[in-house]
């Protein structure tokens, strides 16, 4: 069978596609906590479980090194994600997080960290159903230990620990197709430093285009154009929370953010997340918001460059400033801060600005998944109001 592990899991199965008789919602009922397995799943004898305390610099560095060397690469092995330590600490310690959900595997003899998987708590609404979820990311097995069926054990172990906290659903994204995507999105890329992207081989000089013509094509103004456009500050959290909650109501799947979540996920944090808003000079009302997170990538096998500085569109709300103008200001700020590329998924209302702002479609797809929750029909990316890191 095609998915020996995923066919055993409470997820939408490919064989069920089209069966509209199946109800929408949780697939399996919660089991009584007394029935949740108390002891960890078995690993191969030479490995052991470890809980990674990322507050500890040494441990966080081990996690950083494992991911920097072994996490996701693009299909042409041109890039590998290089999440910074401050990014990992931000992503893994949201309000209500559990240290026990930062799970590692060590080789007993050498004590080397060889695998990692994490979960963080989140509240996500699916249509009208707000459910406590776990967001799962950073599943990583060292390149030397691939294809040994370690991933299913890691997924079962993190599931067990999440069940112990009485949480029964999860959301995750992946570049691979496994049972069963609720939506399939596409990355779009806006060159900010076209020369570097061409030098690393990501972009190619267009036909009948010179390098100087290409640089001019992607040129951006020195400063933002929207009146009242400024960095978000702590005092803006209540207003941004109201603005974002109202805006996200239109999407079928979206986070159910409260003020603590907004303070954690959207307050600017240097080299991790940047957030800007538009405060009306007349009324001082906050009418618009845009944000992007910073995720560099290692550039593999290139003699001249080692790091790609990439910005990823995060949550954006436009109620007064046209979304295209707001996002163009985000591009201007990113260029000013020496980003090489600004990436965006075709989720939410992003399709309305991608082409106009000179984004080009990427060749990778990002599939969204729900664990132990069925939705009857796959969603169009514009129905998704959720961006995972
Ligand atoms: C209620 C709470 C619930 C919480 C849990 C929720 C679920 C959370 C789920 C996790 C979400 C993580 C999201 C996330 O982190 C974002 S997606 C990024 C995943 N990480 C990477 O791509 C890093 C580089 N690759 C690796 O480290 C390895 O290739 C990994 C570890 C990916 C697989 O290791 P391996 O040595 O290459 O493979 P085996 O051990 O031999 O295992 C093969 C089995 O693993 C299935 N597989 C492969 N890639 C997968 C992926 N990305 N998600 C889920 N499953 C994946 C595969 O289909 C097969 O199962 P099947 O035979 O049934 O097809
Ligand atoms: C220049 C445009 O491509 C990327 O920014 C990039 C960077 N690093 C990656 C590392 C792993 C990787 O694995 C899928 C992809 C990339 C990509 S393209 C998809 C992400 C976006 N946007």
């Amino acid at each position: 069978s095609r998915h020996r592990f995923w066919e055993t899991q409470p997820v939408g199965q490919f064989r069920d596609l089209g069966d509209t008789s199946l109800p929408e919602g949780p697939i399996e009922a919660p089991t009584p906590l007394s029935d949740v397995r108390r002891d960890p799943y078995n690993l191969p004898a030479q490995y052991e479980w470890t809980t990674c305390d990322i507050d500890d610099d040494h441990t966080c560095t081990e996690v950083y090194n494992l991911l920097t060397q072994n996490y996701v690469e693009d299909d042409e092995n041109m890039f590998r994600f290089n999440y910074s330590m401050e990014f990992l600490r931000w992503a893994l310690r949201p309000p209500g997080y559990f240290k026990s959900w930062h799970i590692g595997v060590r080789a007993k003899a050498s004590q080397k960290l060889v695998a990692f998987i994490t979960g963080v708590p989140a509240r996500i609404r699916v249509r009208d159903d707000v459910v406590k979820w776990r967001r799962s990311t950073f599943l990583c097995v060292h390149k030397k230990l691939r294809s040994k069926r370690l991933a299913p054990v890691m997924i079962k172990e993190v599931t067990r620990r999440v069940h112990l906290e009485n949480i029964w659903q999860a959301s995750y994204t992946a570049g691979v197709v496994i049972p069963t995507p609720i939506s399939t999105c596409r990355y779009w890329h806006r060159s900010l430093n076209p020369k570097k992207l061409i030098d690393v081989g990501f972009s190619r000089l267009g036909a009948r285009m010179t390098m100087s013509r290409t640089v001019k094509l992607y040129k951006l103004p020195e400063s933002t154009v929207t009146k009242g456009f400024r960095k978000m500050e702590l005092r803006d959290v209540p207003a941004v929370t109201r603005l974002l909650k109202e805006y996200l109501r239109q999407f079928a799947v979206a986070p159910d953010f409260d003020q603590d979540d907004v303070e954690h996920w959207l307050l600017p944090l240097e080299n991790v997340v940047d957030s800007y808003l538009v405060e009306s000079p007349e009324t001082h009302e906050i009418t618009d918001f845009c944000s992007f997170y910073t995720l560099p990538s290692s550039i593999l096998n290139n003699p001249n460059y080692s790091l790609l500085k990439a910005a990823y569109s995060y949550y954006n709300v436009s109620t007064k400033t046209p979304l295209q103008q707001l996002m163009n200001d985000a591009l201007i700020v990113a260029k000013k801060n020496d980003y090489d590329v600004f990436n965006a998924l075709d989720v939410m209302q992003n399709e309305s600005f991608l082409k106009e702002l000179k984004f080009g479609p990427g060749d990778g797809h990002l599939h969204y998944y729900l664990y132990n929750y069925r939705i009857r029909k796959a969603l169009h990316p514009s129905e998704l109001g959720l961006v995972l890191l």
Side-chain angles (χ1 to χ4, degrees):
S1 54
R2 275 206 28 80
H3 295 286
R4 275 182 298 137
F5 168 67
W6 281 108
E7 281 164 8
T8 69
Q9 296 296 295
V11 292
Q13 297 295 335
F14 290 133
R15 61 176 173 275
D16 298 337
L17 278 176
D19 181 349
T20 51
S21 69
L22 294 167
E24 189 146 298
I27 293 171
E28 278 178 355
T31 47
L33 289 195
S34 51
D35 289 355
V36 177
R37 183 179 166 141
R38 277 277 172 287
D39 51 314
Y41 282 89
N42 292 333
L43 284 166
Q46 68 271 47
Y47 300 110
E48 63 188 10
W49 294 111
T50 182
T51 298
C52 295
D53 175 7
I54 59 168
D55 298 347
D56 171 69
D57 281 350
H58 175 72
T59 309
C60 195
T61 303
E62 287 185 285
V63 169
Y64 170 79
N65 289 333
L66 175 73
L67 294 174
T68 298
Q69 295 306 323
N70 301 280
Y71 201 50
V72 192
E73 297 175 15
D74 67 299
D75 291 346
E76 281 105 64
N77 308 103
M78 187 182 298
F79 303 120
R80 187 186 307 121
F81 288 131
N82 186 330
Y83 287 89
S84 67
M85 281 177 60
E86 60 266 39
F87 189 107
L88 293 171
R89 284 173 158 155
W90 172 69
L92 297 178
R93 296 183 306 182
Y97 79 98
F98 300 91
K99 278 187 186 292
S100 60
W101 293 5
H102 303 159
I103 304 170
V105 172
R106 291 186 186 281
K108 279 178 183 158
S110 62
Q111 284 298 296
K112 189 174 180 323
L113 187 69
V114 294
F116 189 60
I117 187 167
T118 65
V120 289
R123 259 183 342 286
I124 295 175
R125 173 182 54 76
V126 179
R127 299 199 210 284
D128 306 330
D129 191 8
V130 175
V131 187
K132 269 172 49 172
W133 298 72
R134 205 228 41 206
R135 290 233 307 271
S136 183
T137 46
F138 302 120
L139 167 62
C140 181
V141 166
H142 193 285
K143 283 170 181 264
K144 291 199 174 66
L145 297 178
R146 296 281 170 81
S147 307
K148 297 175 181 304
R149 309 300 292 180
L150 253 180
V153 178
M154 308 214 27
I155 293 166
K156 286 191 283 193
E157 178 59 13
V158 76
T159 301
R160 183 186 72 82
R161 296 191 192 191
V162 172
H163 284 166
L164 288 175
E165 303 296 344
N166 201 21
I167 292 178
W168 306 92
Q169 268 74 33
S171 69
Y172 47 105
T173 57
V176 291
V177 178
I178 49 180
T180 298
I182 62 157
S183 188
T184 294
C185 307
R186 167 167 286 207
Y187 276 111
W188 288 69
H189 313 292
R190 206 288 184 184
S191 286
L192 299 175
N193 183 347
K195 184 173 178 333
K196 180 170 177 179
L197 295 182
I198 289 169
D199 288 353
V200 302
F202 175 79
S203 308
R204 277 176 305 287
L205 215 45
R208 293 186 302 286
M209 286 285 279
T210 60
M211 183 61 85
S212 67
R213 175 95 181 70
T214 303
V215 168
K216 208 174 294 168
L217 173 69
Y218 290 111
K219 194 154 177 50
L220 288 160
E222 275 295 300
S223 44
T224 55
V225 304
T226 305
K227 280 205 325 297
F229 187 88
R230 64 170 174 80
K231 242 183 180 332
M232 177 185 178
E233 299 165 20
L234 183 61
R235 63 190 170 92
D236 301 310
V237 165
V240 168
T241 305
R242 281 193 296 278
L243 193 70
L244 189 56
K245 282 184 84 75
E246 176 53 30
Y247 183 76
L248 290 173
R249 285 179 42 194
Q250 66 187 291
F251 304 112
V253 176
D256 179 45
F257 280 140
D258 64 17
Q259 280 196 18
D260 293 343
D261 299 313
V262 169
E263 184 174 334
H264 177 81
W265 291 116
L266 295 170
L267 207 53
L269 192 59
E270 188 160 4
N271 276 333
V272 172
V273 59
D274 282 79
S275 305
Y276 294 85
L277 51 80
V278 179
E279 176 180 347
S280 157
E282 298 80 31
T283 67
H284 298 290
E285 187 201 356
I286 291 175
T287 56
D288 312 280
F289 175 82
C290 64
S291 59
F292 56 86
Y293 60 84
T294 297
L295 169 50
S297 280
S298 306
I299 299 173
L300 308 174
N301 321 312
N302 184 282
N304 310 320
Y305 299 99
S306 60
L307 206 62
L308 178 83
K309 191 174 179 184
Y312 287 76
S313 178
Y314 199 30
Y315 290 98
N316 308 302
V317 179
S318 105
T319 67
K320 194 165 135 294
T321 308
L323 185 58
Q324 184 175 316
Q325 178 184 323
L326 187 69
M327 293 310 294
N328 197 55
D329 277 342
L331 293 176
I332 291 165
V333 166
K335 172 66 183 173
K336 199 120 188 74
N337 290 298
D338 287 331
Y339 286 84
D340 299 318
V341 66
F342 192 102
N343 296 321
L345 287 163
D346 54 1
V347 298
M348 293 185 268
Q349 298 178 313
N350 290 357
E351 270 182 309
S352 68
F353 62 76
L354 292 169
K355 288 200 181 85
E356 289 73 10
L357 293 184
K358 298 178 185 142
F359 284 75
D363 48 20
H365 286 96
L366 189 69
H367 307 283
Y368 278 69
Y369 297 96
L370 300 180
Y371 185 94
N372 194 17
Y373 200 93
R374 189 194 316 283
I375 58 166
R376 228 189 324 281
K377 198 160 106 20
L379 300 173
H380 187 273
S382 58
E383 295 180 276
L384 284 181
L386 181 66
V387 176
L388 301 188
L389 305 169

